[in-house]
Amino acid sequence: MQPLVAPSLLSANFGNLDADIEVINNSDADWFHVDIMDGVFVPNLSIGFPVLKAIKKKARKPLDVHLMMVEPGQYIRRFMEAGASVLTVHYEAVSHLHSVVRDIRSLGIKAGVSLNPHTPVTFLEEILPDLDLVLLMTVNPGFGGQSFIESSYNKIRKLRAMIHETGSQALIEVDGGVDLNNAPLLVKAGVDVLVAGNTVFSSEDPAETIRLLKNPPGTPA
Ligand code: DX5
Ligand code: ZN
């Protein structure tokens, strides 16, 4: 099955974001992946509401917003108003996950929960039926351009089985170190959405790279 592709703007040129947004607008990409970092949950800072709103004005595809911040609950409405269509919070950063997920969905947008590489997928057992998306971190969060953690395939397969067993509608998204070599294997293991930053924006032809991520060579179109 063809995956959705969500290029991560973290690797875009922040000196000329409009140009990179336009490349994604005119490509086969499905979503824009936007990373929000607070310098506490992860050892890095990225962007906040003003830049997110500016992206929203130019983007012609849904914004998939990944919150790498502690206790994001009080900001949910503001992220929806800033343009998020999918809003993902980290399991490790939220005390009252059930309530935050309910708040996100009550605003009419998709709710995702992300797991760091060390967090078992079984921790999602109770909440899985309430989720639209599970984002598996396949690197330690905070930076683009890191190497994919190979043990992630097992997690993907376990989560795929849990989703099947519980009848959950959640999509499986992977984020970190996704490239043209591992993309077909990830899809085979059960991934629905591929995030890719460095692979897309450091390539000579980002639109062609996105096309290849969606249609790995050798698979029927
Ligand atoms: C990292 C971010 C990712 C990052 C992925 O913490 O969540 O979205 O941009 O970058 P690549 O695809 O370069 O590993
Ligand atoms: Zn991300």
Side-chain angles (χ1 to χ4, degrees):
M1 225 193 57
Q2 211 180 39
L4 302 180
V5 171
S8 169
L9 288 178
L10 194 62
S11 294
N13 176 7
F14 278 81
N16 189 1
L17 209 42
D18 282 9
D20 280 349
I21 291 172
E22 207 41 32
V23 169
I24 306 305
N25 278 336
N26 294 320
S27 75
D28 291 343
D30 298 276
W31 297 343
F32 285 84
H33 185 80
V34 187
D35 292 295
I36 310 285
M37 304 181 184
D38 68 351
V40 178
F41 182 65
V42 288
N44 202 3
L45 293 158
S46 58
I47 61 164
F49 295 114
V51 180
L52 183 58
K53 284 180 187 164
I55 293 169
K56 177 64 186 171
K57 275 195 192 144
K58 304 281 175 166
R60 296 197 302 272
K61 299 171 193 249
L63 301 190
D64 169 36
V65 178
H66 176 193
L67 300 182
M68 282 160 279
M69 58 189 288
V70 293
E71 299 301 350
Q74 60 176 317
Y75 297 106
I76 299 307
R77 176 172 288 278
R78 290 180 66 190
F79 279 112
M80 181 275 289
E81 287 168 353
S85 294
V86 183
L87 196 54
T88 296
V89 300
H90 263 264
Y91 176 87
E92 304 85 359
V94 180
S95 308
H96 300 287
L97 193 58
H98 185 270
S99 139
V100 171
V101 165
R102 189 189 48 203
D103 289 352
I104 296 172
R105 284 185 133 185
S106 75
L107 295 171
I109 59 177
K110 290 191 195 318
V113 170
S114 181
L115 300 182
N116 277 337
H118 69 274
T119 307
V121 289
T122 48
F123 284 12
L124 293 179
E125 199 177 329
E126 305 302 331
I127 195 110
L128 204 47
D130 299 320
L131 300 183
D132 299 298
L133 179 141
V134 177
L135 191 171
L136 295 178
M137 285 308 305
T138 43
V139 298
N140 285 291
F143 302 91
Q146 303 181 76
S147 304
F148 180 83
I149 297 173
E150 293 293 328
S151 56
S152 307
Y153 292 108
N154 259 340
K155 271 179 98 167
I156 295 162
R157 284 189 283 264
K158 270 190 211 166
L159 179 60
R160 177 50 64 206
M162 281 171 65
I163 287 174
H164 183 71
E165 277 158 28
T166 57
S168 162
Q169 298 294 305
L171 297 174
I172 302 180
E173 180 175 42
V174 290
D175 185 5
V178 172
D179 60 27
L180 292 174
N181 294 319
N182 59 28
L185 304 174
L186 291 164
V187 173
K188 206 170 161 208
V191 168
D192 303 295
V193 189
L194 298 167
V195 175
N198 192 51
T199 292
V200 168
F201 288 104
S202 71
S203 70
E204 294 234 326
D205 183 347
E208 174 63 5
T209 302
I210 291 164
R211 196 186 66 74
L212 289 170
L213 285 167
K214 279 189 85 80
N215 308 282
T219 57

